Amino acid sequence: MAALKNHGGGSQLILLCAVLGTLWDFGTGQIRYSVPEETDKGSFVGNISKDLGLEPWELVKHGIRIVSRGRTQLFALNPRSGSLITADRIDREELCARRSRCLININILVEDRGKLFGIEIEITDINDNNPKFQVKDLEVKINEIAVPGARYPLPEAVDPDVGVNSLQSYQLSPNHHFSLDVQTGDDGTLSPELVLESALDREEEAAHHLVLTASDGGDPRRSSTVRIQVTVLDTNDNAPVFAQPIYRVKVLENVPPGTQLLTVAASDPDEGANGKVAYKFRKINEKQSLLFQLNEKTGEISTAKSLDYEECSFYEMEIQAEDVGALLGRTKVLVLVEDVNDNRPEVIITSLFSPVLENSPPGTVIAILNVHDQDSGKNGQVDCYTDENLPFKLEKSIDNYYRLVTWKYLDREKVSIYNITVMASDLGTPPLSTETHIALQVADINDNPPTFPHASYSAYIPENNLRGASIFSLTAHDPDSQENAQVTYSVTENTLQGAPLSSFVSINSDTGVLYALQSFDYEQIRDLQLLVTASDSGNPPLSSNVSLKLFVLDQNDNTPEILYPTLPTDGSTGVELTPRSAEPGYLVTKVVAVDRDSGQNAWLSYRLLKASEPGLFSVGLHSGEVRTVRALLDRDALKQSLVVVVQDHGQPPLSASVTLTVAVADSIPEVLADLGSLKPSDNPDDSGLTLYLVVAVAVVSCIFLTFVLVLLGFRLVRWHKSRLLQASGGGRLVGMPATRFVGVDEVQAFLQTYSHEVSLTADSRKSHLIFPQPNYADMLISQESCEKSDSLLTSIDFHECKDE
């Protein structure tokens, strides 16, 4: 407030009231302030936060700032106090020249809401300029014959201040010959004139020295002076006279320098030298004197520099014509500069809200633009538009501001960057246009879940796989970006055979690769049903599921298992009985086998690997049936050994074998007699020895049976005789020798030695001989039951043991 210190207390109070004066125009939404010129930087202008209904701290929150076009920022916002302050020194005369009211318009942008508020600030004048004459010394020539009352124009002072602070009065230093008369024009300008009060005499006083003072009405008053020398000349009785009191001319602003505008002409009826006229600028400001030039002899006025309608559209100057006798004539020249369409529209991006979320609703503000054309009239009227194919449109805001807004929803997955061209064209002839390009990025939101290319997947893994082996790879695509497109994979928890699914397989959460945690067995698990979930990292996250069926492929890892004949657990060998009367094709037995594998790995085939009598038996390739090939002959051995192999069709094939013992006999006793203690041999050369042993056993058995029959015959004869003796004499035989043919112990031992059973088991190469209790107990007497050591021929022993 340095400028205020130079004024009195009353003036300070008036200026302070002007600083604090604020007017809110409710009809237009316009905020108005006033501030005196030349105030210090940072001076208070108005309370913006209060007038906008906000707290001071909300200015930063809402992004409130000042926007103005092509002008040095004169004002700023104080975010602490929420007030509008001056940003630099303000000179009203520089901004508004001699306009009575100096109004500065700025705009306040509420950025987060995309709203603009207009603010009108009036710069009030202070008396900071002195009235100023263009010259410091002036010579006025007056003919000595001039009559009292003659008037001579004096130079005017210029005061750029306005109102009471502008030029208010002129004063002339006191003298006896001259007085001062001030004329007031229609526009309020003061024109001083020197009035001759008494006749002059050059011989008495050839020159007069005067002082003209110009003063304003400010407080304190400011003034300036010019020294005037009046030179008294000899007789010249006619002054120059212009043909027109006012000359008007129109000129286009784009005329080149040196263009002739008009010619002023003044005539002087005097003859000779007294009739010669010289033309001069009488009243012209400093800026105009640089733009125009005047030919002193011809009166031609031409341009000295290029004109600019945008700087000034109207010029006013005064031309005076002076003869050699110092008689003057004057006229006014008015130059009207016409605008041409020489300025292209300017488009300034005041605010750009980029990036914008793709789910922003229609009507979202994208940018705030200021459009301006320095030309006037139609040349300065601008149409602004964008491409209709884009989802954006322009809306007119206050003054020359436009808002670029969306008119439909955006989709980043379709278009992530928009190159928006804003075209501004004026209405001049020919029209001039400007293009402004805006690059707008669309920010992603998590509006797309990860998707799999297929609705379901199938994968195959061979059994007996290595632990940790890769099974399958799943990939889901998310069209979003950054974390919204970061996909993680997981397997939905479930159970399989009572165990959690996570103990069988796992998935890499980043790559979607599925791994086996166990070695699978086709015979236990043939397929797994999985549900894989793909989730992104957005907030909130989105996910999708896909089913994966994992099939375990069979491998030939199981040997065929022979179910029949079964191997006995006591080490014996089973025997299949075939009668000697069997015809060709007789079914001897059937080998039954299974394979736990599947497919061709479980297709079994049977074949005869080895036989003691080649060509006698055959095995069905697919049935496993053992049949005779030909009729049995007497020369064929009683015991036949067959080795049957069961083989699957896997790669490589697996097999199992079983050894069958086939007894060729019509009855079991015959088999028992022939196969007593024979042991099957793996060597075919041993078949003859076996035959000899069987024959020996058969011979011994026959002898044994003969002995038993003879013994029984003797016993029956003795029993019959004893019954006859008892019937005749009732006495006991006395003196008959007790001959011991064989004891009971020896008979029992014999029976136990030669009486046997043959148990045959499958897949065994040994014959197990079992010796049970004698089967002839009802014919022979057991020694243990009778508890006798006497001869078997004793009759008493026979009767006592008969019941047993």
Side-chain angles (χ1 to χ4, degrees):
M1 304 295 287
L4 296 178
K5 297 178 182 179
N6 299 326
H7 302 277
S11 177
Q12 292 181 5
L13 180 60
I14 295 174
L15 292 175
L16 183 60
C17 292
V19 171
L20 299 179
T22 300
L23 176 62
W24 173 266
D25 190 340
F26 290 98
T28 62
Q30 186 90 351
I31 302 175
R32 293 179 178 173
Y33 300 116
S34 64
V35 60
E37 64 173 332
E38 303 294 345
T39 55
D40 291 337
K41 180 180 179 180
S43 299
F44 175 84
V45 177
N47 194 335
I48 285 292
S49 61
K50 179 181 178 181
D51 293 334
L52 294 180
L54 301 173
E55 295 295 331
W57 58 270
E58 290 183 300
L59 296 181
V60 178
K61 175 184 176 182
H62 293 286
I64 296 179
R65 59 189 178 91
I66 298 175
V67 291
S68 61
R69 182 194 60 81
R71 178 180 293 173
T72 303
Q73 288 286 356
L74 300 177
F75 304 95
L77 289 175
N78 187 333
R80 292 184 178 179
S81 62
S83 58
L84 183 67
I85 60 175
T86 58
D88 203 350
R89 184 187 71 86
I90 301 176
D91 187 354
R92 192 202 67 84
E93 288 74 32
E94 182 179 346
L95 293 175
C96 303
R98 294 188 56 81
R99 290 200 297 268
S100 58
R101 295 190 65 191
C102 184
L103 301 177
I104 303 298
N105 292 304
I106 64 173
N107 295 286
I108 297 293
L109 172 64
V110 182
E111 194 157 14
D112 65 344
R113 300 177 183 175
K115 292 185 178 181
L116 282 168
F117 293 91
I119 295 181
E120 185 180 82
I121 303 173
E122 181 179 2
I123 309 299
T124 58
D125 182 54
I126 64 173
N127 192 22
D128 57 342
N129 292 283
N130 294 332
K132 183 179 180 182
F133 290 98
Q134 293 182 354
V135 293
K136 293 183 179 180
D137 297 296
L138 175 66
E139 181 183 9
V140 177
K141 296 178 181 180
I142 300 177
N143 197 290
E144 62 178 340
I145 63 171
V147 297
R151 294 175 177 270
Y152 301 91
L154 296 178
E156 297 177 1
V158 177
D159 192 337
D161 293 329
V162 295
V164 69
N165 296 324
S166 64
L167 178 65
Q168 297 294 321
S169 63
Y170 290 95
Q171 292 180 350
L172 185 65
S173 58
N175 63 85
H176 299 287
H177 295 281
F178 300 97
S179 65
L180 182 66
D181 185 21
V182 179
Q183 300 291 329
T184 303
D186 295 337
D187 57 355
T189 58
L190 301 179
S191 300
E193 293 182 344
L194 187 64
V195 180
L196 180 63
E197 295 291 338
S198 60
L200 299 177
D201 187 353
R202 189 185 69 83
E203 289 72 25
E204 181 180 346
E205 190 174 0
H208 300 269
H209 297 279
L210 306 174
V211 176
L212 179 61
T213 302
S215 302
D216 61 23
D219 186 12
R221 186 182 299 272
R222 293 176 177 268
S223 63
S224 63
T225 60
V226 60
R227 293 186 295 273
I228 302 174
Q229 178 180 337
V230 178
T231 302
V232 182
L233 301 177
D234 283 338
T235 302
N236 183 14
D237 55 351
N238 290 292
V241 177
F242 281 95
Q244 298 178 14
I246 298 177
Y247 289 86
R248 291 181 175 87
V249 63
K250 293 181 180 180
V251 60
L252 296 176
E253 62 173 329
N254 61 346
V255 296
T259 301
Q260 181 178 345
L261 301 180
L262 77 162
T263 301
V264 295
S267 60
D268 191 331
D270 292 330
E271 295 181 355
N274 293 330
K276 293 182 179 181
V277 178
Y279 299 95
K280 294 181 180 179
F281 285 116
R282 176 182 178 275
K283 182 180 179 182
I284 188 172
N285 59 37
E286 295 179 0
K287 291 183 179 180
Q288 293 178 353
S289 63
L290 299 176
L291 297 176
F292 303 97
Q293 58 187 6
L294 174 63
N295 190 317
E296 294 184 356
K297 295 181 179 180
T298 63
E300 293 181 355
I301 301 175
S302 60
T303 57
K305 291 184 177 181
S306 298
L307 303 179
D308 190 351
Y309 173 86
E310 286 69 41
E311 285 189 9
C312 184
S313 61
F314 177 78
Y315 297 95
E316 180 181 350
M317 62 195 79
E318 286 188 6
I319 308 295
Q320 71 178 15
E322 182 179 0
D323 60 16
V324 294
L327 295 180
L328 304 176
R330 59 181 178 177
T331 186
K332 280 186 177 182
V333 176
L334 304 179
V335 179
L336 180 63
V337 181
E338 292 185 338
D339 181 48
V340 296
N341 194 22
D342 60 344
N343 291 282
R344 293 182 179 274
E346 298 178 15
V347 179
I348 299 174
I349 303 174
T350 302
S351 294
L352 176 61
F353 306 96
S354 178
V356 59
L357 291 176
E358 61 178 322
N359 65 338
S360 299
T364 300
V365 178
I366 302 302
I368 295 178
L369 310 174
N370 178 254
V371 181
H372 178 73
D373 194 321
Q374 295 183 6
D375 296 325
S376 64
K378 289 187 176 181
N379 296 332
Q381 295 178 9
V382 181
D383 284 339
C384 200
Y385 53 93
T386 60
D387 190 349
E388 295 180 355
N389 296 326
L390 296 178
F392 308 100
K393 64 179 179 179
L394 285 170
E395 292 181 352
K396 189 74 167 64
S397 184
I398 63 173
D399 294 339
N400 293 321
Y401 285 91
Y402 288 85
R403 298 193 308 169
L404 182 65
V405 300
T406 60
W407 61 270
K408 68 178 183 179
Y409 284 96
L410 307 179
D411 190 349
R412 190 206 67 85
E413 287 69 43
K414 292 182 179 179
V415 181
S416 60
I417 297 178
Y418 285 95
N419 291 317
I420 307 170
T421 300
V422 177
M423 289 159 283
S425 178
D426 59 28
L427 302 181
T429 303
L432 300 179
S433 61
T434 302
E435 290 186 357
T436 301
H437 301 280
I438 300 175
L440 177 66
Q441 293 185 345
V442 182
D444 181 53
I445 63 169
N446 194 24
D447 57 345
N448 291 281
T451 56
F452 292 94
H454 304 285
S456 62
Y457 293 88
S458 298
Y460 301 89
I461 179 174
E463 65 173 331
N464 304 320
N465 57 285
L466 296 176
R467 292 185 178 181
S470 173
I471 301 175
F472 194 67
S473 178
L474 292 168
T475 302
H477 175 68
D478 194 322
D480 294 326
S481 65
Q482 297 181 356
E483 66 273 2
N484 294 332
Q486 294 178 0
V487 181
T488 57
Y489 302 89
S490 61
V491 176
T492 302
E493 193 59 46
N494 204 346
T495 58
L496 179 65
Q497 295 184 353
L501 192 61
S502 57
S503 64
F504 292 91
V505 293
S506 68
I507 192 169
N508 189 310
S509 60
D510 295 327
T511 63
V513 177
L514 197 68
Y515 296 94
L517 300 180
Q518 293 187 8
S519 180
F520 291 100
D521 187 355
Y522 174 82
E523 287 69 39
Q524 294 183 1
I525 300 176
R526 297 196 174 187
D527 60 76
L528 291 84
Q529 190 76 29
L530 308 177
L531 190 64
V532 179
T533 301
S535 302
D536 57 30
S537 302
N539 186 21
L542 301 178
S543 62
S544 62
N545 300 324
V546 69
S547 62
L548 171 62
K549 195 163 187 179
L550 182 62
F551 296 95
V552 180
L553 299 179
D554 181 49
Q555 287 187 328
N556 195 23
D557 59 341
N558 289 282
T559 303
E561 180 182 353
I562 298 176
L563 302 179
Y564 183 85
T566 58
L567 296 177
T569 58
D570 57 358
S572 62
T573 301
V575 175
E576 299 293 341
L577 183 63
T578 302
R580 287 188 176 273
S581 59
E583 296 180 355
Y586 177 80
L587 178 61
V588 178
T589 186
K590 182 176 182 179
V591 178
V592 180
V594 294
D595 195 318
R596 297 177 62 191
D597 294 326
S598 65
Q600 65 179 11
N601 295 329
W603 297 351
L604 301 180
S605 60
Y606 304 82
R607 62 186 178 91
L608 186 61
L609 180 64
K610 183 170 63 175
S612 58
E613 186 67 36
L616 181 56
F617 299 96
S618 66
V619 178
L621 179 62
H622 302 296
S623 63
E625 295 178 349
V626 180
R627 295 181 181 271
T628 59
V629 177
R630 58 177 176 82
L632 298 175
L633 304 177
D634 293 338
R635 61 180 177 84
D636 292 330
L638 175 65
K639 176 193 171 190
Q640 298 290 334
S641 179
L642 308 176
V643 178
V644 178
V645 175
V646 183
Q647 181 176 297
D648 57 28
H649 287 70
Q651 292 297 332
L654 299 179
S655 61
S657 62
V658 62
T659 301
L660 301 177
T661 300
V662 180
V664 181
D666 292 329
S667 62
I668 294 177
E670 184 180 355
V671 176
L672 296 176
D674 291 342
L675 303 179
S677 60
L678 298 179
K679 176 181 180 181
S681 175
D682 294 336
N683 191 350
D685 298 337
D686 296 339
S687 61
L689 178 60
T690 302
L691 180 60
Y692 297 147
L693 293 175
V694 171
V695 173
V697 171
V699 172
V700 173
S701 297
C702 291
I703 297 173
F704 169 73
L705 290 175
T706 303
F707 172 75
V708 171
L709 293 175
V710 173
L711 180 61
L712 290 176
F714 280 116
R715 294 286 292 187
L716 290 174
V717 170
R718 291 181 64 84
W719 174 75
H720 183 67
K721 289 181 178 181
S722 64
R723 296 290 290 181
L724 293 176
L725 291 175
Q726 289 178 2
S728 61
R732 183 181 297 269
L733 293 174
V734 180
M736 182 174 288
T739 303
R740 299 178 63 90
F741 177 76
V742 63
V744 174
D745 293 337
E746 288 79 5
V747 175
Q748 185 175 3
F750 183 83
L751 293 174
Q752 290 179 352
T753 302
Y754 291 97
S755 179
H756 58 273
E757 289 182 359
V758 180
S759 176
L760 304 178
T761 60
D763 197 17
S764 176
R765 295 181 162 213
K766 296 181 179 181
S767 296
H768 187 171
L769 302 181
I770 304 174
F771 302 96
Q773 295 293 330
N775 294 329
Y776 313 102
D778 55 343
M779 299 171 59
L780 302 178
I781 309 300
S782 174
Q783 181 182 6
E784 289 77 9
S785 61
C786 297
E787 296 183 358
K788 298 292 185 177
S789 60
D790 296 338
S791 173
L792 288 173
L793 300 177
T794 305
S795 60
I796 300 174
D797 297 338
F798 183 82
H799 291 293
E800 292 177 356
C801 299
K802 183 178 180 179
D803 295 335
E804 296 183 14

